[in-house]
Amino acid sequence: MKQVRPKKNLGQHFLTDLTIARRIADTVDACPDLPVLEVGPGMGVMTQFLVGKPRPLKVVEIDRESVAYLKKTLFAERPVGQEQTPDESVPTATPRNSGSDVIIEGDFLRMDLTTVFGGQPFVLTGNYPYDISSQIFFKMLDNRDLIPCCTGMIQHEVAIRMAAKPGNKQYGILSVLIQAWYDVEYLFTVEPSVFNPPPKVQSAVIRMTRNSVQHLDCDEQLFRRVVKTVFNQRRKMLRVSLRQIFDSQHPATDSFYQLPVMTRRPEQLTIAEFVDLTNQVQQMLND
């Protein structure tokens, strides 16, 4: 069957190295006994290794050409007892993963994730489109009770930011918001040469596993607002950047701006300190 043409408007860079595809697929093994949802399977280079794992699998794909390819190859229905011939490079689905219900044709960012596996938690994985990877992870955060584990491949620079610790210049909005709820592991780097077409940047494979935090002990919406506000002016001290949150009806006091933390910059704060800062801001807004 004719292969799928990578589409620039969808940010498609198809992985061609089967060894790397298997390594990425195997990252889900750290969270056993859970169903798997793969985002953007394309022609199924990674999916073919997920299919053989003893767990339910679904894939979500927005590209109609890729959906058609998967239905005719990886998820093609075969007569009972018919075996795969040796010259076929892509295996077909095992019985537990066979059928058109495995493929969800649509936009992951618009999906109701509570319906994917009937409300059951699942592992999220994929070779994520670089231009929407941050949006994918924000959706993960909004559904963190459903997604105890997330793995996959993203742009190298984004992976570095997600795993960065306080005091590192890469530490930023994604670092804080994700690490508040997940432990982030940078697993390995992937070179551009193993893609079609090759991206202009390096890629990286990561794994995020839910930590034990159930509540942040602060207003979580305000926490996000504080983190985004101060990192949008990351070179400024907090006493300068935080002024954007207040207005004439809800001013902050001079004593607030004289707190010791106000002379620091956002990359110097731990998540616990951001929680404390959010509570301080909340107190000013409520007065």
Side-chain angles (χ1 to χ4, degrees):
M1 181 180 176
K2 183 180 177 181
Q3 293 195 337
V4 178
R5 174 180 54 86
K7 299 170 184 62
K8 187 175 181 179
N9 67 307
L10 294 178
Q12 290 178 328
H13 295 275
F14 293 144
L15 181 63
T16 59
D17 189 306
L18 295 183
T19 299
I20 293 176
R22 183 188 292 274
R23 288 182 68 188
I24 300 172
D26 287 346
T27 61
V28 306
D29 293 343
C31 301
D33 305 323
L34 290 177
V36 175
L37 176 65
E38 181 189 3
V39 176
M43 290 187 292
V45 66
M46 178 175 150
T47 318
Q48 62 185 301
F49 300 111
L50 293 171
V51 161
K53 296 184 180 295
R55 56 174 84 187
L57 169 70
K58 290 191 178 184
V59 301
V60 54
E61 176 59 69
I62 197 172
D63 178 27
R64 293 181 178 179
E65 189 180 5
S66 294
V67 169
Y69 183 92
L70 291 170
K71 286 182 177 179
K72 290 185 178 181
T73 55
L74 191 60
F75 295 106
E77 298 288 351
R78 299 194 175 196
V80 176
Q82 181 175 329
E83 300 295 335
Q84 180 180 319
T85 56
D87 61 341
E88 291 179 279
S89 60
V90 179
T92 55
T94 55
R96 65 181 167 277
N97 288 322
S98 59
S100 59
D101 62 327
V102 175
I103 303 175
I104 303 170
E105 184 174 358
D107 184 351
F108 171 79
L109 296 178
R110 297 177 179 271
M111 287 175 58
D112 178 359
L113 299 186
T114 63
T115 66
V116 179
F117 293 103
Q120 181 181 359
F122 59 88
V123 179
L124 183 66
T125 193
N127 175 12
Y128 303 112
Y130 294 161
D131 55 346
I132 63 167
S133 61
S134 293
Q135 296 176 60
I136 289 173
F137 298 136
F138 284 132
K139 187 176 181 74
M140 172 195 74
L141 290 175
D142 290 338
N143 292 270
R144 57 184 177 271
D145 291 337
L146 272 178
I147 307 175
C149 185
C150 175
T151 77
M153 183 156 53
I154 58 176
Q155 186 175 338
H156 173 263
E157 291 183 358
V158 176
I160 291 294
R161 290 203 300 271
M162 289 169 58
K165 299 302 181 183
N168 189 306
K169 65 179 181 179
Q170 301 296 337
Y171 185 70
I173 295 173
L174 270 180
S175 317
V176 175
L177 297 185
I178 290 178
Q179 291 178 37
W181 303 103
Y182 288 84
D183 295 327
V184 182
E185 300 171 83
Y186 184 107
L187 299 180
F188 58 91
T189 303
V190 181
E191 298 298 327
S193 59
V194 299
F195 294 90
N196 174 36
K200 296 180 180 180
V201 296
Q202 284 187 322
S203 303
V205 177
I206 59 165
R207 179 166 50 226
M208 294 172 282
T209 308
R210 269 294 268 127
N211 59 29
S212 59
V213 175
Q214 296 301 315
H215 304 284
L216 286 183
D217 296 326
C218 69
D219 182 310
E220 293 175 12
Q221 291 301 316
L222 184 58
F223 175 81
R224 284 195 182 195
R225 184 182 173 194
V226 168
V227 170
K228 291 180 179 180
T229 297
V230 298
F231 274 112
N232 283 337
Q233 292 186 297
R234 63 180 304 136
R235 294 186 178 182
K236 297 184 182 297
M237 293 182 183
L238 297 180
R239 66 186 180 193
V240 176
S241 55
L242 282 173
R243 292 182 185 274
Q244 299 177 62
I245 291 181
F246 303 100
D247 55 32
S248 58
Q249 294 183 342
H250 301 92
T253 62
D254 290 341
S255 60
F256 172 78
Y257 290 117
Q258 291 171 5
L259 293 171
V261 70
M262 293 299 162
T263 61
R264 298 168 69 187
R265 292 177 173 80
E267 68 267 19
Q268 298 174 307
L269 271 64
T270 65
I271 293 170
E273 288 173 322
F274 269 112
V275 169
D276 291 339
L277 179 62
T278 301
N279 286 326
Q280 295 280 0
V281 171
Q282 181 77 70
Q283 184 178 342
M284 289 295 101
L285 292 173
N286 289 342
D287 287 346

